[in-house]
Amino acid sequence: MVLKDVVSPNKGKAFMLCNEAIARGAIEADVKVVAFYPGAPTSEILDTFSEALGSFDYQMQIATNEKVALEICAGASFAGLRSLTAMKSVGMNVASDTLFVLGYTGARGGMVVVMADDPHAHSSQSEQDGRFFAPNSYIPMLEPSTAQEAKDMIKEAFSISERHRVPVIVRTVTRVNHQSGVVELEEIRRSGFSRVRWRDLKEEYLTLGEVARRKKLRMIERRGSLEREFEESAFNYILGGDAEVGTGIVTASTAYLHVLEALKVLGISGKVPVLKLGTTYPVPRRLVAGFLKGLRGVVVVEELSPYLETEVTMIAKDENPGLRIFGKRSGHFSEAWELNPDLVAKGLASALAIPYEDKSGIIEEAKALKEGMPERYPTFCPGCPHRGTFAALSQALRALSASGKGYYFANDIGCYSMWVFPPFSKADSSLCMGASVGIANGLSNVIEERVVAVVGDSTFYHAALPAILNAIHNRNKFTLLVLDNSVTAMTGQQPNLSTEFTAGWREGKRIPIEDVCRAAGAEFVEVIDAYQVKENVPVIRRALEHDGLAIVVSRRECALYGDRRKRKRGERITPYYVDKSVCRKPYACIRDVHCPAHEIDGDGQPRISPELCDGCSVCSRMCAFGSIRRSGTEGERR
Amino acid sequence: MSFDIFICGVGGQGLVLLTNALGRACLKSGLKAITGEMYGLSQRSGTVSVHMRIGEDAHSPLIPIGGADVLVALEAIEALRYIEYLKKGGLVLMNSRIMHPPVETAGLVKDRSRKYFTLEEAVSRVKRWTSMVAVIDALAAAKEGGNPNAENTVFLGCLSALRGLPLDPAKVKEAISEVVPRGTVEQNLKAFEIGMRRASEALCGYGVCRDLK
Ligand SMILES: Cc1ncc(C[n+]2csc(CCOP(=O)(O)OP(=O)(O)O)c2C)c(N)n1
């Protein structure tokens, strides 16, 4: 990230990531309170605010989970301050209990919730379509296509929120969040931060019984006034086209960009009328009806569920009953996976009955060239402490194999998910954050095998804690490994409750996981150093054999986070090397470690790449012959 | 018309910075640029890719299949992984460096008759897609420039050697100075110059390079 673009007080232009543009937009809109729990593809919004914190006086919290983050923003909004949070849409599952009530209570200070879907499940456990949160909670939703539009929408969302006294969802998808482009910067003019008096502002933020019923009517009214406003919104527009064609296109979000590209590829740019929707809840029905009038057919291009298609279908029923509708239901597009220009061109060509040669030939040809090419699965980084923890666990399991006891491995969501890949290959289940422990509570009482659950530190606080307390209270018996690498590594090493820092590298109170477990009454709680493979084997073994809940906290900071800290302190990384005169090629370093820094040299001996080695020592501890040594020379890496 | 560059490599090789420098150079040149970036998760060593599109009518953040003018691969096997994005007969700038995935290495230990996927194999297969292939030893070039981490800037140099790139190399250099860590500007600019030279040499027969003074 180039911080100076985000914090520059002046008008101008910058090339930036959409997530940075979102942060810039909120800063221009004088946001006062931001709170986040990280999750791809929104994490860089958190990161940007954290980096920019030194330049402005907004308040920022990195929260325990999305629900807390949303509530922090709601609190600020109730007091009249502008607030913003961002989360991936599975995070909204966690936060939605609060979101639904906010539909009732409404907001006071502008409140914006960026919610990102991840079509194609690039970095998520599901391809969930978060758009349905909007109609379900009566909360308005805007959908940008580009970085510039995202920034514009964020600013407008604050105004909409204040005009209609309701939070506003700005819904993105991975290909919007992770899109860079040229963005117009406006001057930053911020008012200073000061506390407000609650007693002067007091409103009724509650929703019981009769109150809830009354507020429901207000929500329905509010939807009407939002819809009337959206009929005129500049975020919805029609790109002209040839009325002769008889078929138009309705689209939104990143699909709109693919449509423009596809029309170009098909040689019909400007020939087909396109309605681009930016306000997708409530849908401006009059505008859509006007567009559909006189058309013989309409193609609805959107990712995931037929959300807009359903709206269009309902509007067409009254306005243009003979209209042919092409979309998911007609089979022109799939509900699965993300769109791209080629898929959109294919669907459009078929709907418009124009010739198009799809790319399957090229793809087949490329596939043939790739025959036998090695896959590059995600893997633990060089120096990752999880590798050491799982190596010790594997050894402990091997030592116990004679007992004939079986195991169920409950994996969870974090870098340690890669436990599922070789050489460990363990995961009987992996659902969503914290579910490993919940599942263990259920399974441990009904199967014969011992359940081994894992969670990371961030996941421990985020959602696993209630399940752990449940296990202690109900005396459930299983083994829990908490992999405490000090940060939320998978999303970019953000600080969490296990870090002594918080947003903007400011001091945060670290909450030791073992203290929480012991205070709650857990009887078996051991803390190990992830790199000490040999010493950890007997501890983990005891935890596997313990007749009760056994918690092992494996601690060592994330290697990428550690490297950054070392760089800050000016420390160098000293790589390891294989002393070939000692190595007898048992290959334990390769077979049981799977580190990207290891390869086999021309002479058949293992070699450690000094550019990649992080100097963690785990492989040297796995070598029975002591042939892996720390370089005496200075490392080649910064 | 748009000028489309597909960039790929392995997590940790600095694609973010490379992309940002190109984008800034576009901004300085008054050109529209849009990207689609896929960094996988945060871990090192996974496959990473960026669709970089320059020009007024580059609409989608994704390059259509078979649409890229140039394929830049910071790791040799990755060139093959994304080959379908390159136009037939397009230009490839690829690193000679191979970073063997751990599963591949482990496979060799399991079955001693197996061999690594080689650079020669990767290059020869890429050449079945296009003849214009420049294989660059970017790590050596970066080290020669004084910083082994500057493989990404070596490739910015390689790209800048191309006449087709609608950017003045001076603007790319300016952008590099703005985005690399303080204290490494000189090393990176050196890496850039070396990259530019290497690509010109490798591609001199094709008439696609700028004249280097
Ligand atoms: C509800 C929800 N929020 C956010 C995410 C994004 N996410 C994926 S893994 C992860 C946490 C990883 O942290 P930790 O448990 O500490 O494990 P580590 O990656 O550090 O090993 C997060 C926040 C998610 N998948 N689901």
Side-chain angles (χ1 to χ4, degrees):
Chain A
M1 185 204 354
V2 183
L3 184 63
K4 57 177 181 283
D5 291 337
V6 177
V7 304
S8 158
N10 306 321
K11 257 174 102 83
K13 281 186 181 184
F15 178 80
M16 52 170 68
L17 187 68
C18 175
N19 281 341
E20 294 163 11
I22 286 173
R24 170 78 191 199
I27 291 168
E28 286 177 11
D30 205 15
V31 70
K32 293 296 187 211
V33 173
V34 294
F36 307 95
Y37 181 75
T42 66
S43 307
E44 299 85 2
I45 303 174
L46 181 164
D47 296 338
T48 304
F49 273 109
S50 186
E51 293 282 325
L53 192 51
S55 309
F56 303 105
D57 62 355
Y58 52 80
Q59 287 192 0
M60 174 166 179
Q61 294 185 45
I62 298 176
T64 316
N65 62 29
E66 292 88 349
K67 183 171 187 284
V68 178
L70 183 67
E71 287 157 357
I72 291 167
C73 291
S77 169
F78 291 172
L81 300 189
R82 287 192 163 188
S83 64
L84 176 133
T85 183
M87 62 190 71
K88 62 192 294 169
S89 64
V90 295
M92 184 58 87
N93 297 346
V94 176
S96 62
D97 202 9
T98 302
L99 182 82
F100 282 88
V101 190
L102 289 173
Y104 283 79
T105 62
R108 195 165 185 283
M111 178 172 174
V112 178
V113 181
V114 179
M115 177 188 67
D117 275 323
D118 188 19
H120 225 79
H122 290 289
S123 47
S124 309
Q125 60 264 36
S126 78
E127 263 201 334
Q128 140 180 348
D129 193 328
R131 287 177 296 177
F132 295 96
F133 278 116
N136 212 349
S137 63
Y138 293 74
I139 289 179
M141 171 167 67
L142 309 179
E143 286 192 69
S145 301
T146 62
Q148 177 70 54
E149 199 179 23
K151 177 169 169 285
D152 295 342
M153 281 188 177
I154 290 287
K155 295 178 78 170
E156 179 59 18
F158 280 109
S159 308
I160 295 170
S161 173
E162 281 162 7
R163 264 198 308 278
H164 295 268
R165 299 215 153 199
V166 63
V168 176
I169 293 173
V170 176
R171 185 261 190 177
T172 54
V173 293
T174 301
R175 296 296 185 181
V176 173
N177 294 94
H178 286 171
Q179 184 191 112
S180 297
V182 175
V183 173
E184 299 268 353
L185 309 180
E186 279 151 77
E187 207 179 307
I188 294 183
R189 273 203 231 116
R190 295 183 56 88
S191 60
F193 188 95
S194 58
R195 283 178 182 270
V196 289
R197 269 176 188 279
W198 178 249
R199 58 167 197 270
D200 297 342
L201 306 168
K202 213 157 185 166
E203 286 191 22
E204 188 193 81
Y205 292 110
L206 49 95
T207 67
L208 282 173
E210 175 55 27
V211 183
R213 286 189 286 276
R214 221 174 40 230
K215 287 192 171 159
K216 181 67 185 272
L217 296 176
R218 213 177 64 187
M219 283 158 77
I220 296 168
E221 252 170 58
R222 186 181 64 207
R223 181 181 58 190
S225 48
L226 279 160
E227 185 178 332
R228 281 190 294 282
E229 181 176 318
F230 288 172
E231 297 286 0
E232 311 298 329
S233 168
F235 294 131
N236 306 314
Y237 49 88
I238 295 169
L239 289 184
D242 210 332
E244 319 275 272
V245 183
T247 303
I249 297 171
V250 176
T251 185
S253 185
T254 191
Y256 165 68
L257 302 177
H258 299 326
V259 164
L260 294 183
E261 195 74 34
L263 292 175
K264 185 177 82 181
V265 168
L266 297 172
I268 48 171
S269 297
K271 296 239 166 71
V272 184
V274 178
L275 170 59
K276 195 284 198 196
L277 289 176
T279 66
T280 50
Y281 181 78
V283 167
R285 283 178 295 177
R286 259 199 305 118
L287 178 72
V288 175
F291 180 74
L292 299 180
K293 210 156 229 160
L295 287 179
R296 280 197 301 277
V298 67
V299 194
V300 184
V301 189
E302 63 188 317
E303 289 178 305
L304 303 177
S305 310
Y307 169 84
L308 290 175
E309 187 178 329
T310 303
E311 292 285 337
V312 166
T313 306
M314 289 192 299
I315 296 166
K317 183 176 138 288
D318 296 329
E319 301 292 332
N320 186 352
L323 186 73
R324 278 199 69 184
I325 298 169
F326 304 94
K328 314 270 179 184
R329 295 194 180 93
S330 65
H332 286 78
F333 298 100
S334 171
E335 290 184 41
W337 313 347
E338 71 176 359
L339 291 175
N340 59 43
D342 302 304
L343 287 172
V344 173
K346 190 175 169 186
L348 285 181
S350 159
L352 299 169
I354 50 177
Y356 170 73
E357 193 188 338
D358 78 11
K359 303 290 176 74
S360 53
I362 300 190
I363 291 173
E364 280 310 309
E365 208 179 315
K367 213 165 153 191
L369 281 185
K370 297 181 199 182
E371 178 83 31
M373 176 187 80
E375 285 301 329
R376 199 181 293 281
Y377 300 113
T379 182
F380 297 121
C381 303
C384 177
H386 299 339
R387 183 182 285 109
T389 306
F390 288 132
L393 173 62
S394 291
Q395 289 188 15
L397 288 167
R398 228 174 287 152
L400 290 172
S401 62
S403 75
K405 179 130 181 104
Y407 297 91
Y408 178 100
F409 299 103
N411 205 334
D412 211 289
I413 311 288
C415 287
Y416 49 86
S417 297
M418 289 179 295
W419 191 28
V420 69
F421 291 119
F424 308 111
S425 309
K426 295 282 190 290
D428 289 304
S429 57
S430 174
L431 279 74
C432 54
M433 287 187 70
S436 66
V437 194
I439 301 276
N441 275 289
L443 272 169
S444 59
N445 288 309
V446 298
I447 60 171
E448 290 170 0
E449 289 79 4
R450 175 78 174 184
V451 178
V452 181
V454 300
V455 289
D457 47 330
S458 195
T459 304
F460 174 89
Y461 302 107
H462 174 281
L465 195 52
I468 293 169
L469 302 181
N470 182 81
I472 296 169
H473 178 67
N474 289 295
R475 299 202 174 278
N476 292 333
K477 299 173 181 181
F478 56 89
T479 304
L480 172 64
L481 287 177
V482 185
L483 288 85
D484 180 5
N485 59 4
S486 296
V487 287
T488 310
M490 194 162 209
T491 51
Q493 307 106 50
Q494 293 81 7
N496 63 40
L497 280 65
S498 192
T499 321
E500 60 242 296
F501 301 104
T502 181
W505 292 93
R506 293 174 185 183
E507 200 201 330
K509 171 87 178 152
R510 184 177 155 262
I511 304 174
I513 288 166
E514 61 277 20
D515 291 1
V516 175
C517 295
R518 287 189 186 121
E523 284 146 19
F524 185 119
V525 181
E526 296 275 357
V527 181
I528 59 177
D529 169 0
Y531 285 169
Q532 309 278 337
V533 180
K534 267 188 222 133
E535 294 77 352
N536 295 343
V537 175
V539 181
I540 295 178
R541 195 178 150 161
R542 272 196 294 116
L544 293 170
E545 292 179 309
H546 179 71
D547 183 32
L549 174 68
I551 301 175
V552 178
V553 181
S554 184
R555 180 161 293 138
R556 178 60 81 153
E557 70 187 5
C558 159
L560 296 187
Y561 172 68
D563 288 356
R564 251 195 295 156
R565 299 229 292 164
K566 278 181 200 149
R567 264 199 303 276
K568 260 194 189 156
R569 295 194 297 257
E571 271 174 48
R572 276 171 181 273
I573 292 160
T574 312
Y576 279 65
Y577 71 98
V578 178
D579 183 342
K580 293 191 173 184
S581 65
V582 183
C583 174
R584 296 218 230 129
K585 299 198 278 190
Y587 297 118
C589 57
I590 286 169
R591 203 180 309 110
D592 300 335
V593 177
H594 278 228
C595 176
H598 286 240
E599 50 185 37
I600 309 250
D601 230 347
D603 58 8
Q605 283 192 307
R607 189 186 97 88
I608 296 175
S609 156
E611 287 88 18
L612 297 177
C613 177
D614 193 57
C616 76
S617 81
V618 165
C619 61
S620 76
R621 293 162 192 270
M622 308 285 283
C623 177
F625 301 99
S627 64
I628 302 183
R629 308 211 168 126
R630 220 175 129 93
S631 302
T633 53
E634 273 203 327
E636 290 181 55
R637 293 176 53 199
R638 272 176 300 157
Chain B
M1 281 295 288
S2 59
F3 190 79
D4 296 335
I5 310 169
F6 192 97
I7 310 163
C8 56
V10 171
Q13 289 194 296
L15 265 73
V16 180
L17 190 135
L18 195 168
T19 306
N20 198 279
L22 272 178
R24 292 176 90 83
C26 291
L27 175 62
K28 289 172 192 295
S29 314
L31 291 169
K32 183 185 156 183
I34 181 170
T35 73
E37 308 174 21
M38 198 44 71
Y39 301 122
L41 301 160
S42 292
Q43 298 85 16
R44 296 252 167 91
S45 317
T47 174
V48 290
S49 62
V50 175
H51 300 240
M52 174 95 214
R53 315 195 62 198
I54 306 171
E56 237 5 87
D57 66 351
H59 302 291
S60 166
L62 303 179
I63 301 172
I65 297 287
D69 298 282
V70 184
L71 173 70
V72 176
L74 272 70
E75 197 270 0
I77 301 173
E78 296 309 300
L80 201 50
R81 194 177 312 283
Y82 297 101
I83 193 75
E84 64 270 25
Y85 282 101
L86 183 68
K87 267 183 196 147
K88 278 294 182 68
L91 218 146
V92 178
L93 301 168
M94 67 190 275
N95 204 343
S96 62
R97 184 171 181 193
I98 289 198
M99 291 154 86
H100 295 291
V103 271
E104 189 191 15
T105 300
L108 261 60
V109 169
K110 215 180 274 167
D111 175 357
R112 302 307 316 276
S113 69
R114 263 196 246 173
K115 293 266 178 303
Y116 272 133
F117 199 85
T118 62
L119 173 66
E120 292 66 37
E121 185 65 32
V123 173
S124 90
R125 293 196 195 188
V126 167
K127 283 195 169 158
R128 303 220 301 260
W129 199 268
T130 177
S131 58
M132 277 195 286
V133 181
V135 182
I136 308 286
D137 187 345
L139 186 58
K143 284 179 177 167
E144 193 184 321
N147 187 339
N149 293 326
E151 283 177 296
N152 50 2
T153 17
V154 171
F155 279 99
L156 282 170
C158 296
L159 272 170
S160 300
L162 306 178
R163 213 180 308 123
L165 184 80
L167 295 171
D168 180 348
K171 294 267 195 293
V172 181
K173 280 164 73 170
E174 217 178 286
I176 290 172
S177 329
E178 291 167 6
V179 298
V180 299
R182 258 171 299 144
T184 68
V185 174
E186 212 164 294
Q187 298 165 341
N188 275 290
L189 292 180
K190 251 190 222 159
F192 175 91
E193 296 292 346
I194 298 167
M196 200 158 167
R197 240 182 298 125
R198 295 283 149 82
S200 304
E201 286 156 15
L203 295 166
C204 67
Y206 296 102
V208 293
C209 292
R210 297 177 208 268
D211 286 330
L212 298 186
K213 291 133 277 195

